[in-house]
Amino acid sequence: MFRSNKRQLQPALISNVNELPEKRRQRLEQSWAGTFRREFFSRLKEEAFAVLYADVPSRPNVPVNVLVSLDTLKAGYGWSDEELYDHFLYDLQVRYAVGYDSLTEGEFELRTLYNFRRRLSQYDLAHGTNLLTAAFVDITDQQLTALALRTGQQRMDSTQIASNIVIMSRLQLTVEAIQRLHRLLSETEQAQYAELLAPYVGETAGHYVYRVKGFAATEAQLQPVGQALYELLQALAADYEQEPAYQVAARLFSEQYRVAAATVQAKANQEISASSLQSLDDLEATYREKNRVGYKGYVANVTETCDPQNPLQLITAVQVAPNTAEDSALLVAVLPELKQRTHLDTLHTDATYGSPEADTVLRAMQVTLIQTAIRGRKPNTGKLHLADFAITQDAQGLPLDITCPQGQTVPVTHSGKPQRFAAEFASATCETCPLYTTGRCPPQPDNRRRSLRLTFNQAEVEKSQRHRRSRAEHHPGRNLRAAVESTVRSLKHPFPDSKLPVRGLFRMTCLIVAAAAMTNVRRIQRCRLRTRPDSPERRKQCQGPQRRHEPTLAAHFSDAFVAVLGRVPPPLSAYTLRFSW
């Protein structure tokens, strides 16, 4: 049965926090724990999680805001579950952050946290809604409003993250699949297939692969191992087809092998999709090469505010997807929500976010995309390109007219092919232009129309417009997108080598979202430390350039005299003697 937690609204009169000396208690309230309690714990709306619990009268739940806050602290500090639980039991600062003022209240078993995560996963699988992501969005919106941050300008970047999987070769994956099918069998069935499976079940898959030396030997082993897996799948289909281990093995076989004339053949590496199975324990992890480095896992896309007038910047959106997802696709997916929530009007990204699909959504949302670079071959600086021409577009993005660098404006017409356009420049004007006479201008002579003709398509128009915006916003020493790199690092910093201690898209998303929430709390904390009235910076500003006056000798003597008087005992008459008979 769901019951919201309101205990923190009425603190106990006697508690470990109240027993602290005043100075220590104030330090606790001003620490990260106090900021977390105010900016995250107290803003979490528990009612959104009521769908995870039964409606019938039953034992009340452990407070949702406590469980969600603990998972957020786990991601923010990189703790294991055991470390998290120990901090909750014995760390007064952590307990204060999650709403408790005493070390003796609110105890629960660690299994409760596991069950809560399982319910979140089941709800996401059934309804397609991650409640933790929704809570992060709601809390962030409250923080943006309370801090009065400008959200019109934002920046975006993506990063590769890995799940907690063992990196396996194709051969090791196949051997491991055979061993897992073998563990499904009864003793009688294991004896029945003993001859077929004997080479593969006597040791671990890692040891089997270790004994195969060289690339050629490894490739040669793929065929007999695949043949054994195929025969085992055919034999067990009737009895084990619904078992998860069988289904994973069948998927692996279909992606790595083909059957021709009852003979199994291993596919070439070039034939295998990047979305193929990378681990038997993580079915959603994919493969991607970036800057000639291979990655197995997921991609996290982060969006944050970047208005220079803001005293701090907050992360507004976090996305996690298999790493085969393009950055432009992630932009298209999140843009409508960002526009509706934050009234975004300008987005700063790198070169990977531009695409025709993104251009369509950006225009519909009335958001300007500014890229620090554009994908593709770098333009030849010795010649003009379409980006050097000013193009006027209608509401749908279709070109209306075009102006050359020398100021000649002509209308744009449709050519004979779909999505192709043409502009006719006057020959008499162009023949006197130094850009044309030196061979730098791209229009070509059209003898039939006696003009110079420039043709282009819609994709080239959009790319040229992105080039122009990138040039216009380029200022030496100013790059609003660059700082998002540090944000990406702050999210992955608790996880060594960018490898999260979980598996699967849902758990990866939960951990990255929690890390983003903790990053926002830390930023708010740092901002308040810079601006609080009793900070050294604020005192220095208040004092100004005036010279501080040192205490005089008389003042020192006065203080010493008062201290001496305080040590003199009172007269005897001040004491009352009592005798008991």
Side-chain angles (χ1 to χ4, degrees):
M1 183 181 71
F2 173 78
R3 184 175 65 182
S4 60
N5 178 27
K6 304 298 182 183
R7 183 183 306 229
Q8 74 279 3
L9 299 179
Q10 188 175 0
L13 295 177
I14 301 176
S15 65
N16 296 111
V17 172
N18 290 334
E19 292 174 356
L20 293 174
E22 181 65 19
K23 186 176 181 179
R24 295 186 185 179
R25 188 176 61 81
Q26 290 182 0
R27 183 177 179 85
L28 175 63
E29 293 175 353
Q30 294 172 0
S31 68
W32 67 265
T35 302
F36 185 92
R37 181 167 179 163
R38 292 186 299 269
E39 296 296 335
F40 185 88
F41 177 81
S42 298
R43 295 188 186 279
L44 181 65
K45 297 179 181 178
E46 297 179 279
E47 290 74 15
F49 296 84
V51 293
L52 303 178
Y53 299 93
D55 295 331
V56 297
S58 56
R59 184 178 181 180
N61 61 289
V62 173
V64 170
N65 51 8
V66 173
L67 297 176
V68 174
S69 296
L70 288 175
D71 253 355
T72 303
L73 293 175
K74 168 188 170 67
Y77 287 99
W79 293 333
S80 66
D81 287 335
E82 291 292 338
E83 291 173 327
L84 170 67
Y85 193 57
D86 287 341
H87 277 288
F88 172 72
L89 292 179
Y90 308 116
D91 191 335
L92 181 60
Q93 201 169 20
V94 169
R95 294 187 69 85
Y96 183 78
V98 298
Y100 293 114
D101 295 338
S102 174
L103 293 172
T104 60
E105 57 182 348
E107 186 177 350
F108 60 88
E109 294 296 326
L110 186 56
R111 175 58 57 183
T112 302
L113 190 58
Y114 298 156
N115 292 335
F116 180 69
R117 294 171 183 167
R118 176 178 51 81
R119 291 179 179 180
L120 287 172
S121 177
Q122 291 174 346
Y123 186 85
D124 177 74
L125 186 63
H127 300 88
T129 301
N130 189 326
L131 295 179
L132 290 182
T133 302
F136 167 79
V137 169
D138 180 68
I139 292 173
T140 303
D141 288 346
Q142 295 181 53
Q143 293 170 347
L144 292 171
T145 302
L147 298 171
L149 299 182
R150 296 174 174 85
T151 58
Q153 295 190 72
Q154 298 187 42
R155 54 193 170 211
M156 182 181 292
D157 196 20
S158 64
T159 183
Q160 298 292 318
I161 52 177
S163 63
N164 190 24
I165 59 176
V166 177
I167 304 301
M168 294 185 176
S169 63
R170 298 172 59 187
L171 179 61
Q172 187 173 351
L173 279 172
T174 308
V175 175
E176 180 68 24
I178 292 176
Q179 293 180 353
R180 296 192 180 190
L181 287 177
H182 177 262
R183 290 196 289 267
L184 286 177
L185 305 179
S186 62
E187 293 184 2
T188 303
E189 292 171 325
Q190 289 179 358
Q192 180 181 352
Y193 300 107
E195 183 178 356
L196 174 65
L197 302 179
Y200 313 112
V201 298
E203 56 187 348
T204 66
H207 287 159
Y208 181 91
V209 174
Y210 179 77
R211 291 188 293 101
V212 181
K213 303 296 183 180
F215 176 78
T218 301
E219 292 294 307
Q221 282 290 320
L222 286 175
Q223 195 280 330
V225 174
Q227 185 71 40
L229 178 60
Y230 175 71
E231 295 178 11
L232 192 59
L233 288 172
Q234 295 297 310
L236 302 181
D239 298 327
Y240 295 96
E241 191 174 12
Q242 301 303 319
E243 291 290 336
Y246 181 94
Q247 295 173 354
V248 172
R251 174 186 167 184
L252 175 68
F253 180 83
S254 65
E255 293 174 345
Q256 301 288 338
Y257 298 90
R258 68 167 63 91
V259 180
T263 302
V264 174
Q265 299 176 354
K267 294 181 180 179
N269 291 334
Q270 297 78 6
E271 300 179 69
I272 300 174
S273 170
S275 301
S276 62
L277 196 67
Q278 304 298 314
S279 169
L280 302 182
D281 298 308
D282 192 337
L283 309 184
E284 296 160 303
T286 53
Y287 179 81
R288 180 175 182 175
E289 285 191 4
K290 186 175 182 181
N291 298 328
R292 298 183 180 180
V293 178
Y295 297 92
K296 293 184 178 183
Y298 300 85
V299 60
N301 193 55
V302 184
T303 310
E304 67 175 358
T305 61
C306 66
D307 195 301
Q309 299 185 32
N310 286 340
L312 75 159
Q313 312 297 345
L314 293 184
I315 299 173
T316 56
V318 179
Q319 300 165 270
V320 179
N323 62 11
T324 53
E326 292 288 338
D327 289 347
S328 57
L330 297 173
L331 168 61
V332 169
V334 77
L335 193 59
E337 177 195 348
L338 276 177
K339 180 67 176 182
Q340 189 266 333
R341 284 177 47 215
T342 64
H343 305 290
L344 172 69
D345 56 53
T346 305
L347 185 62
H348 300 263
T349 68
D350 58 17
T352 58
Y353 287 88
S355 71
E357 296 79 11
D359 291 331
T360 302
V361 178
L362 287 163
R363 185 180 303 105
M365 297 289 105
Q366 298 181 352
V367 176
T368 302
L369 178 65
I370 298 176
Q371 298 174 266
T372 54
I374 307 298
R375 265 182 171 178
R377 183 182 301 174
K378 290 185 178 181
N380 184 357
T381 57
K383 291 188 176 182
L384 297 180
H385 298 269
L386 191 60
D388 298 309
F389 292 74
I391 302 176
T392 303
Q393 299 173 272
D394 62 11
Q396 286 72 38
L398 300 177
L400 298 176
D401 56 57
I402 185 171
T403 303
C404 76
Q406 292 297 319
Q408 182 182 175
T409 302
V410 297
V412 176
T413 59
H414 284 274
S415 65
K417 300 179 181 179
Q419 293 293 309
R420 295 289 300 180
F421 305 93
E424 307 285 344
F425 291 92
S427 299
T429 303
C430 292
E431 288 174 354
T432 61
C433 175
L435 297 176
Y436 180 74
T437 56
T438 56
R440 297 180 59 194
C441 200
Q444 298 298 319
D446 189 342
N447 295 329
R448 187 178 61 176
R449 295 180 174 84
R450 297 181 180 179
S451 62
L452 296 177
R453 185 179 178 87
L454 180 63
T455 60
F456 45 85
N457 58 30
Q458 184 65 35
E460 292 171 335
V461 171
E462 300 295 351
K463 188 174 182 178
S464 70
Q465 296 296 77
R466 284 188 257 119
H467 265 291
R468 291 180 66 85
R469 290 193 297 267
S470 179
R471 292 176 184 175
E473 291 295 324
H474 177 70
H475 302 286
R478 178 190 176 189
N479 185 349
L480 291 180
R481 193 209 70 86
V484 75
E485 302 284 354
S486 65
T487 300
V488 168
R489 180 191 176 278
S490 66
L491 292 188
K492 302 196 298 181
H493 180 69
F495 314 111
D497 298 326
S498 303
K499 188 171 185 178
L500 277 61
V502 295
R503 294 189 289 264
L505 180 60
F506 175 77
R507 285 296 295 144
M508 295 284 286
T509 301
C510 291
L511 219 58
I512 288 294
V513 167
M518 195 64 193
T519 299
N520 283 347
V521 170
R522 289 189 175 116
R523 291 181 175 182
I524 296 173
Q525 169 70 1
R526 287 196 297 267
C527 181
R528 287 184 171 169
L529 288 178
R530 291 196 306 266
T531 59
R532 66 185 185 184
D534 59 340
S535 65
E537 295 83 359
R538 176 57 61 88
R539 288 200 301 266
K540 185 176 181 180
Q541 293 174 0
C542 295
Q543 292 169 356
Q546 297 178 359
R547 182 180 177 182
R548 293 180 57 187
H549 296 284
E550 297 296 334
T552 62
L553 181 61
H556 279 301
F557 179 78
S558 177
D559 294 341
F561 183 71
V562 172
V564 170
L565 289 179
R567 295 179 176 273
V568 175
L572 186 62
S573 58
Y575 296 94
T576 301
L577 300 179
R578 294 187 179 181
F579 301 92
S580 57
W581 302 95

